[in-house]
Amino acid sequence: MNMLNTISGIFTAAVLTAGVLLLSSCAELKQDRPLLPVREYERMIVGRLDAEYVGTDNCVSKCHKHEKIADDFRHSLHGEQIKPETGLPLVNCESCHGPGSLAIEKIGDNVEENDEKKVKCDTNTFLDIHNLPTPAQSLICLKCHAAASSPTLAHWNGSVHALNDVGCFDCHKLHRGPRQKVTREETAELCYGCHTEIKAENSLFSHHPMREKKMACTDCHDPHGSVQLHLLKGNTPKELCTRCHMEKQGPFAFEHGDVTENCATCHSPHGSVNNHLLNAAMPFLCLQCHGGHVVTLMPDNPVDKRLFNNRCTDCHSQIHGTDMPAGANNRGNFLR
């Protein structure tokens, strides 16, 4: 009996503990408990332990040529200061360039714009961002975005871009204006800077509407990383394609055997000289797997002729799958 009371007491205590944990706010669960203040970690990352933080307003007030950059920053997504209770860092100029006290210490408080003796901001005391190795450049962004954008950047470190020394600064230009990144219409030209062969394919006769600005590379590819080959979004290539081509999704009673997972078996996604982005013209595309038909020209004349000059889809129009059996075998020949 005492044993049962002990077990019951332990169970009750466990339930109460779980209840207390459930009542804890999400903000409390997200709180960091660093050994040192976060500012000290930032000083170590940027490599300026001898400088102090002075704030963006102090920097700009002493160096007027950066006023436009600062104004663009205030109107940007980074400039929208995140609520402190989220536990995420507040972003300003010194978050990327490092502490700025040494940069402005020699600038007078009342310098005129046209003063020939004006001392310029000593930018050499800032972190030398552009001469850092690519992984180190990305670390400046990842120190915040690894936590704030974890769904997007979960696969970054093992992605094709990261392994080929592509960094955040290669695509994101933070001082290009308030938007701080290329527009959807500009994405393709940005990607073409490296992927020139894809640009050539998109210029072919049959292509996705990239040139017409109805699609962007990021509709299919996640530049920050993916579990799929070629940085594809979705669980499988077919699952990605059928987000737009829903009539090809199925399920069908009779599936086309080799295309249930990968549409690229027959289609070249970036462009082709054949209709419908096909890898080869019909019937030669189908003949890579299927033998040509043998038909009897006349009932009384057993002369056979193979059909090599017709498009297979003239008869087999439901080539992606069908629910209708056909012929004596009832196997489904993808007929309408």
Side-chain angles (χ1 to χ4, degrees), residues 22-325:
L22 288 175
L23 291 175
S24 299
S25 66
C26 292
E28 292 177 358
L29 295 176
K30 290 181 179 178
Q31 282 183 356
D32 292 328
R33 293 171 176 82
L35 298 176
L36 294 172
V38 174
R39 293 165 65 89
E40 297 301 320
Y41 286 110
E42 289 183 350
R43 281 155 56 97
M44 287 188 284
I45 290 176
V46 301
R48 293 303 320 198
L49 300 178
D50 54 343
E52 296 293 338
Y53 288 93
V54 294
T56 296
D57 290 337
N58 287 328
C59 289
V60 176
S61 66
K62 306 240 177 163
C63 188
H64 300 290
K65 72 175 183 178
H66 294 316
E67 285 181 349
K68 183 182 186 306
I69 292 177
D71 186 62
D72 288 341
F73 184 85
R74 290 191 189 97
H75 292 86
S76 70
L77 183 62
H78 281 128
E80 291 291 335
Q81 295 294 299
I82 303 172
K83 295 180 180 179
E85 55 266 24
T86 62
L88 299 176
L90 303 182
V91 184
N92 59 20
C93 301
E94 292 175 307
S95 298
C96 299
H97 295 285
S101 62
L102 297 178
I104 63 172
E105 66 177 359
K106 295 181 180 179
I107 300 180
D109 293 331
N110 299 309
V111 251
E112 297 295 335
E113 186 67 30
N114 297 322
D115 188 354
E116 295 180 358
K117 297 182 180 180
K118 180 177 64 173
V119 180
K120 295 183 179 180
C121 177
D122 186 6
T123 56
N124 293 326
T125 62
F126 289 133
L127 180 63
D128 193 6
I129 294 177
H130 296 291
N131 290 323
L132 288 176
T134 301
Q137 291 178 348
S138 297
L139 180 61
I140 296 173
C141 304
L142 291 173
K143 70 175 182 179
C144 297
H145 285 280
S149 307
S150 53
T152 304
L153 294 169
H155 303 291
W156 170 254
N157 289 328
S159 70
V160 174
H161 280 152
L163 295 177
N164 284 276
D165 239 16
V166 177
C168 306
F169 298 168
D170 292 318
C171 300
H172 298 280
K173 312 296 182 185
L174 296 189
H175 292 314
R176 70 191 304 270
R179 187 178 179 86
Q180 293 194 333
K181 63 179 181 179
V182 297
T183 63
R184 176 181 172 83
E185 292 74 19
E186 297 170 328
T187 302
E189 291 302 322
L190 173 65
C191 298
Y192 290 158
C194 295
H195 302 283
T196 53
E197 74 286 357
I198 304 302
K199 180 178 182 179
E201 290 179 7
N202 276 312
S203 300
L204 296 176
F205 158 72
S206 181
H207 60 274
H208 275 113
M210 300 284 292
R211 301 196 312 239
E212 294 77 11
K213 307 299 183 183
K214 295 181 180 179
M215 282 186 67
C217 303
T218 51
D219 290 336
C220 301
H221 302 277
D222 188 338
H224 299 109
S226 168
V227 295
Q228 298 294 327
L229 291 174
H230 310 299
L231 298 177
L232 288 177
K233 296 180 177 179
N235 297 318
T236 65
K238 183 176 181 180
E239 190 267 331
L240 172 63
C241 296
T242 52
R243 292 180 183 180
C244 295
H245 305 281
M246 290 178 285
E247 73 282 4
K248 310 295 192 300
Q249 184 174 10
F252 299 107
F254 302 98
E255 298 275 2
H256 200 154
D258 200 35
V259 299
T260 54
E261 294 294 331
N262 193 353
C263 302
T265 303
C266 298
H267 299 278
S268 178
H270 295 110
S272 172
V273 295
N274 303 299
N275 288 327
H276 309 299
L277 295 171
L278 291 177
N279 293 328
M282 285 193 289
F284 306 107
L285 174 67
C286 302
L287 291 175
Q288 294 175 12
C289 298
H290 304 281
H293 276 301
V294 178
V295 296
T296 302
L297 294 179
M298 293 183 295
D300 298 332
N301 185 6
V303 177
D304 296 333
K305 180 180 181 181
R306 291 184 178 272
L307 295 180
F308 290 125
N309 298 322
N310 295 57
R311 292 176 305 177
C312 302
T313 51
D314 287 345
C315 298
H316 304 279
S317 57
Q318 304 302 305
I319 201 65
H320 294 94
T322 180
D323 296 324
M324 300 296 294

